[in-house]
Short mmCIF file of all heavy atoms in Angstrom, two decimals:
data_model
loop_
_atom_site.label_atom_id
_atom_site.label_comp_id
_atom_site.label_asym_id
_atom_site.label_seq_id
_atom_site.Cartn_x
_atom_site.Cartn_y
_atom_site.Cartn_z
N GLY U 250 29.33 11.01 -80.25
CA GLY U 250 28.11 10.48 -80.85
C GLY U 250 27.92 9.01 -80.55
O GLY U 250 26.80 8.56 -80.28
N GLY U 259 21.64 1.04 -74.82
CA GLY U 259 21.88 0.12 -73.70
C GLY U 259 22.91 -0.93 -74.02
O GLY U 259 22.94 -1.99 -73.40
N ALA U 266 32.64 3.08 -72.01
CA ALA U 266 32.53 4.54 -72.12
C ALA U 266 32.66 5.20 -70.75
O ALA U 266 33.37 6.18 -70.58
CB ALA U 266 31.20 4.91 -72.77
N LEU U 267 31.93 4.64 -69.75
CA LEU U 267 31.99 5.24 -68.41
C LEU U 267 33.38 5.08 -67.80
O LEU U 267 33.85 5.95 -67.08
CB LEU U 267 30.93 4.61 -67.51
CG LEU U 267 29.48 5.01 -67.82
CD1 LEU U 267 28.54 4.23 -66.93
CD2 LEU U 267 29.28 6.51 -67.65
N ARG U 297 33.12 18.84 -39.97
CA ARG U 297 32.35 19.00 -41.20
C ARG U 297 33.24 18.91 -42.43
O ARG U 297 32.88 18.28 -43.43
CB ARG U 297 31.62 20.34 -41.19
CG ARG U 297 30.42 20.39 -40.26
CD ARG U 297 29.59 21.62 -40.48
NE ARG U 297 29.10 21.73 -41.86
CZ ARG U 297 28.15 22.58 -42.23
NH1 ARG U 297 27.60 23.39 -41.34
NH2 ARG U 297 27.76 22.62 -43.48
N ASP U 361 31.21 13.07 -32.80
CA ASP U 361 31.79 12.63 -34.07
C ASP U 361 30.64 12.19 -34.97
O ASP U 361 30.20 11.05 -34.93
CB ASP U 361 32.76 11.48 -33.84
CG ASP U 361 33.41 11.01 -35.14
OD1 ASP U 361 33.08 11.57 -36.20
OD2 ASP U 361 34.25 10.09 -35.07
N ILE U 365 27.59 10.15 -40.50
CA ILE U 365 26.22 10.50 -40.85
C ILE U 365 26.17 11.79 -41.70
O ILE U 365 25.36 11.91 -42.62
CB ILE U 365 25.35 10.63 -39.58
CG1 ILE U 365 23.88 10.82 -39.96
CG2 ILE U 365 25.83 11.76 -38.68
CD1 ILE U 365 22.96 10.73 -38.79
N GLU U 407 32.15 -9.15 -56.79
CA GLU U 407 32.03 -10.35 -57.62
C GLU U 407 30.73 -10.33 -58.42
O GLU U 407 30.71 -10.71 -59.60
CB GLU U 407 32.10 -11.59 -56.74
CG GLU U 407 33.45 -11.82 -56.08
CD GLU U 407 33.42 -12.97 -55.10
OE1 GLU U 407 32.32 -13.55 -54.90
OE2 GLU U 407 34.48 -13.30 -54.52
N ALA U 444 31.11 5.68 -33.04
CA ALA U 444 31.15 6.85 -32.16
C ALA U 444 29.79 7.55 -32.13
O ALA U 444 29.32 7.99 -31.07
CB ALA U 444 32.24 7.82 -32.61
N GLU U 479 24.16 -12.62 -47.93
CA GLU U 479 22.71 -12.72 -47.94
C GLU U 479 22.11 -12.41 -46.56
O GLU U 479 21.04 -11.81 -46.45
CB GLU U 479 22.26 -14.11 -48.40
CG GLU U 479 22.27 -14.30 -49.90
CD GLU U 479 23.67 -14.57 -50.43
OE1 GLU U 479 24.58 -14.78 -49.60
OE2 GLU U 479 23.87 -14.55 -51.66
N PHE U 518 11.80 4.68 -32.30
CA PHE U 518 11.13 3.80 -31.35
C PHE U 518 9.62 3.80 -31.52
O PHE U 518 8.90 4.57 -30.86
CB PHE U 518 11.49 4.22 -29.92
CG PHE U 518 12.96 4.29 -29.67
CD1 PHE U 518 13.63 5.51 -29.73
CD2 PHE U 518 13.69 3.16 -29.41
CE1 PHE U 518 14.99 5.59 -29.50
CE2 PHE U 518 15.06 3.23 -29.18
CZ PHE U 518 15.71 4.44 -29.22
N SER U 622 14.64 -17.39 -0.99
CA SER U 622 13.95 -17.83 -2.20
C SER U 622 13.43 -16.67 -3.04
O SER U 622 13.54 -16.68 -4.26
CB SER U 622 12.81 -18.77 -1.83
OG SER U 622 11.88 -18.11 -0.97
N PHE U 624 14.37 -13.47 -2.97
CA PHE U 624 15.25 -12.30 -2.87
C PHE U 624 15.39 -11.63 -4.23
O PHE U 624 15.42 -12.30 -5.27
CB PHE U 624 16.62 -12.72 -2.35
CG PHE U 624 17.52 -11.58 -2.01
CD1 PHE U 624 17.28 -10.79 -0.91
CD2 PHE U 624 18.62 -11.27 -2.81
CE1 PHE U 624 18.11 -9.73 -0.58
CE2 PHE U 624 19.45 -10.23 -2.50
CZ PHE U 624 19.20 -9.45 -1.38
N LEU U 796 24.09 -6.80 41.92
CA LEU U 796 23.03 -6.01 41.29
C LEU U 796 23.53 -4.63 40.91
O LEU U 796 23.19 -4.10 39.85
CB LEU U 796 21.83 -5.91 42.24
CG LEU U 796 21.04 -7.21 42.46
CD1 LEU U 796 19.95 -6.97 43.49
CD2 LEU U 796 20.43 -7.68 41.15
N GLU U 811 27.07 -20.18 40.19
CA GLU U 811 27.48 -20.64 38.87
C GLU U 811 27.73 -22.14 38.83
O GLU U 811 27.81 -22.74 37.76
CB GLU U 811 28.75 -19.91 38.41
CG GLU U 811 29.98 -20.22 39.23
CD GLU U 811 31.21 -19.47 38.72
OE1 GLU U 811 31.06 -18.34 38.22
OE2 GLU U 811 32.30 -20.04 38.80
N VAL U 844 26.71 -37.21 32.36
CA VAL U 844 27.23 -36.12 31.54
C VAL U 844 27.42 -36.59 30.11
O VAL U 844 27.11 -35.88 29.15
CB VAL U 844 28.54 -35.59 32.13
CG1 VAL U 844 29.17 -34.55 31.20
CG2 VAL U 844 28.32 -35.01 33.51
N VAL U 868 25.69 -38.74 37.34
CA VAL U 868 24.30 -38.48 36.96
C VAL U 868 23.93 -37.06 37.38
O VAL U 868 24.15 -36.66 38.53
CB VAL U 868 23.35 -39.50 37.60
CG1 VAL U 868 21.89 -39.15 37.27
CG2 VAL U 868 23.68 -40.90 37.14
N THR U 915 23.05 -0.10 18.30
CA THR U 915 24.24 0.65 17.91
C THR U 915 25.16 -0.29 17.16
O THR U 915 25.60 -1.30 17.70
CB THR U 915 24.96 1.19 19.15
OG1 THR U 915 25.26 0.11 20.04
CG2 THR U 915 24.10 2.20 19.87
#
Side-chain angles (χ1 to χ4, degrees):
L267 287 176
R297 286 191 58 167
D361 181 358
I365 187 171
E407 293 174 357
E479 279 79 10
F518 306 98
S622 60
F624 189 71
L796 290 176
E811 66 180 33
V844 174
V868 176
T915 55

